Amino acid sequence: MTQVPEPEAPEEIDLERPNAARIYDWFLGGTANWAIDREFGERAVQTFPMIKTIAKASREFLGRGVRYLAEQGVDQFLDLGSGVPTVGNVHEIATAVNPGARCVYVDNEPVAVAHSQILLEREGVAYRHAVLQGDLRHPSEIWNQATDTGVLDPKRPIGLIVVGVLYFLGRDEPAVEIIRKYLSMLPSGSYFLSSHLTNDGVQTPDRALRAQIHQQYQRSSTPFHYRSRAEFSEFFAGLELVEPGIGWVPDWRPELGESRAGARMAGNPSFSGSLCGLGRKP
């Protein structure tokens, strides 16, 4: 049997340990991952078979959130921790509603950035979209770089997207302050779309399996951290929450788009283990 060769890796890439962005790409069926990421993903699936479905439900939420914002007239987006490009990228969803939509992607993973650049160049939309390599922990630096691209107009409402990434900020890091700094730079009428893993209120008999997954990630290059519903709600302080407020990912406006993964959790949305919300800056 012929072995498929690994894709060429950017010089900065760490192939000593699996990486969350590349693992997530594998969960979604992507190809921007390496053997070490696939091995991690396969072990995770063996431990917790529904983990791929949960990852897909999160991606579906992102799509519904972007679609909602585009329908409200928001036509520019700043996607922090955007990850490896896959089906349903922000600019694709937004452009389907508003052909003039713009987006700046930001990620600290070299593979995610390299693949995003290739995607945008191939689609010929680089003048309306950009990708930056950077760490969202540095709001002023990221904001300046994003606005310097000329893609975003800082005087008009922007959709700030931080979906599936805040849980990679350690509990000892000033996560709430970081997001508040971004929000302080956004103009009035902007939105903040986010999600977060939690074990608060999750009704499931498989807590031991989830604990094993958590431990596996702690040994990767990108460990994650749970936050409670109250802690996640702090990120939205001062914002006008869009209905249905803070809730489970599968429950967030399912009428906005098909959610095959979310539908599998319809009887128990807390199974997703992921809270989400959308807030508008007055």
Side-chain angles (χ1 to χ4, degrees), residues 2-276:
T2 303
Q3 186 175 8
V4 178
E6 294 278 41
E8 184 176 351
E11 292 183 3
E12 314 96 297
I13 189 174
D14 175 11
L15 292 180
E16 296 299 316
R17 291 188 295 172
N19 174 271
R22 304 191 310 260
I23 297 166
Y24 184 64
D25 173 69
W26 184 82
F27 285 155
L28 296 178
T31 58
N33 49 73
W34 275 258
I36 194 165
D37 308 305
R38 296 190 289 274
E39 290 166 4
F40 181 99
E42 287 166 356
R43 288 197 305 272
V45 170
Q46 290 172 2
T47 301
F48 187 34
M50 281 289 284
I51 194 167
K52 280 189 174 183
T53 300
I54 288 174
K56 290 174 182 176
S58 176
R59 189 70 181 180
E60 291 169 348
F61 159 70
L62 170 66
R64 298 196 305 276
V66 172
R67 185 170 296 109
Y68 175 88
L69 292 177
E71 290 176 351
Q72 305 311 302
V74 176
D75 61 0
Q76 49 180 1
F77 301 85
L78 177 58
D79 187 359
L80 305 179
S82 53
V84 177
T86 185
V87 176
N89 296 302
V90 170
H91 76 275
E92 295 170 332
I93 296 167
T95 300
V97 178
N98 184 342
R102 296 168 172 265
C103 182
V104 173
Y105 294 104
V106 181
D107 205 281
N108 65 352
E109 164 56 48
V111 172
V113 174
H115 279 262
S116 295
Q117 289 172 332
I118 292 171
L119 174 68
L120 297 180
E121 289 171 1
R122 185 171 66 233
E123 294 186 359
V125 293
Y127 71 99
R128 284 193 294 111
H129 309 299
V131 56
L132 305 173
Q133 183 168 347
D135 194 319
L136 64 80
R137 294 174 177 83
H138 308 294
S140 295
E141 178 181 325
I142 294 298
W143 177 257
N144 289 336
Q145 290 180 14
T147 53
D148 284 347
T149 64
V151 170
L152 303 178
D153 179 354
K155 297 180 181 179
R156 297 175 50 246
I158 293 171
L160 176 65
I161 299 172
V162 194
V163 170
V165 67
L166 285 174
Y167 43 80
F168 294 117
L169 297 182
R171 298 193 63 83
D172 58 342
E173 296 187 78
V176 172
E177 288 74 12
I178 289 171
I179 294 302
R180 286 180 180 168
K181 179 62 176 177
Y182 280 107
L183 294 174
S184 73
M185 295 183 286
L186 293 176
S188 176
S190 294
Y191 288 83
F192 170 56
L193 180 73
S194 188
S195 66
H196 203 297
L197 291 177
T198 187
N199 54 10
D200 181 11
V202 177
Q203 300 177 19
T204 177
D206 58 11
R207 286 188 176 275
L209 299 182
R210 292 174 186 250
Q212 289 181 43
I213 291 291
H214 187 242
Q215 287 302 313
Q216 284 180 232
Y217 266 90
Q218 303 316 98
R219 294 190 291 272
S220 75
S221 63
T222 42
F224 72 81
H225 310 272
Y226 291 122
R227 286 183 174 85
S228 68
R229 179 182 290 258
E231 289 172 320
F232 179 58
S233 297
E234 287 183 33
F235 291 106
F236 295 86
L239 302 180
E240 300 169 348
L241 279 174
V242 173
E243 291 293 334
I246 304 297
W248 300 110
V249 159
D251 278 348
W252 198 88
R253 295 184 173 264
E255 74 280 2
L256 288 173
E258 184 179 20
S259 179
R260 294 182 181 179
R264 297 183 64 182
M265 295 173 260
N268 178 18
S270 74
F271 188 87
S272 66
S274 186
L275 292 167
C276 66

